[in-house]
Amino acid sequence: MGSVFQFMAPVSILSLTWLVNRGRPIQALAVFAAVLNVVGILGVSYLSTDLAWLWSGMMGMGCSAIFTLSMMLFSMRTYTTNQASELSGMAQAVGYVIAFFWPIGYRLAA
C-alpha cells in the first residue's frame, strides 16, 4: 500500500500543475485534495480491506496535491524571486520551530 501511495504522487503533481496552468481555482483544488485524504482515511479505517489499494491511492493523490499546492503558493503569491525566497524562508522557519517545540509543549502540558 505504501508503493501505491508513492506512485500516485507523480500523477497528482502533473495533473495539479496542468490544472493550475489552465486557470482552475486553487481553492477548489485544495478542497478536492482534502476530500481525497478524508475519503482515503475513512476507507482505510472503516471500509473494505479489499479496496485498500484504492484508499491508499486516494490518500497519495491528496497528500501530494496539498504539498504541491503549498509549494506553488510561494511563487504564485509573490512578484519577484527575492520575495518568494523570503516568504518561503519565513514559512519554513516558522513551520520547523512549531514542529520542534510542539511535542515538548504537549508533553509538558500533559
Side-chain angles (χ1 to χ4, degrees):
M1 294 308 102
S3 294
V4 172
F5 185 94
Q6 287 299 110
F7 285 133
M8 293 311 292
V11 173
S12 178
I13 292 167
L14 293 172
S15 300
L16 181 70
T17 304
W18 185 79
L19 289 170
V20 168
N21 285 337
R22 299 297 179 272
R24 300 294 187 261
I26 295 170
Q27 294 86 355
L29 295 171
V31 168
F32 181 69
V35 167
L36 283 175
N37 279 330
V38 170
V39 171
I41 290 170
L42 292 175
V44 166
S45 300
Y46 300 112
L47 300 176
S48 173
T49 57
D50 294 336
L51 296 174
W53 61 271
L54 177 65
W55 313 131
S56 182
M58 291 176 86
M59 286 189 297
M61 286 191 75
C63 288
S64 62
I66 288 172
F67 181 77
T68 302
L69 263 177
S70 66
M71 293 296 112
M72 291 173 100
L73 286 175
F74 292 129
S75 62
M76 294 173 69
R77 300 292 184 232
T78 57
Y79 297 106
T80 65
T81 56
N82 191 30
Q83 284 178 334
S85 67
E86 288 175 358
L87 178 62
S88 176
M90 184 274 306
Q92 289 183 35
V94 170
Y96 280 114
V97 166
I98 291 171
F100 178 77
F101 284 112
W102 188 266
I104 295 169
Y106 181 77
R107 184 71 177 158
L108 293 175

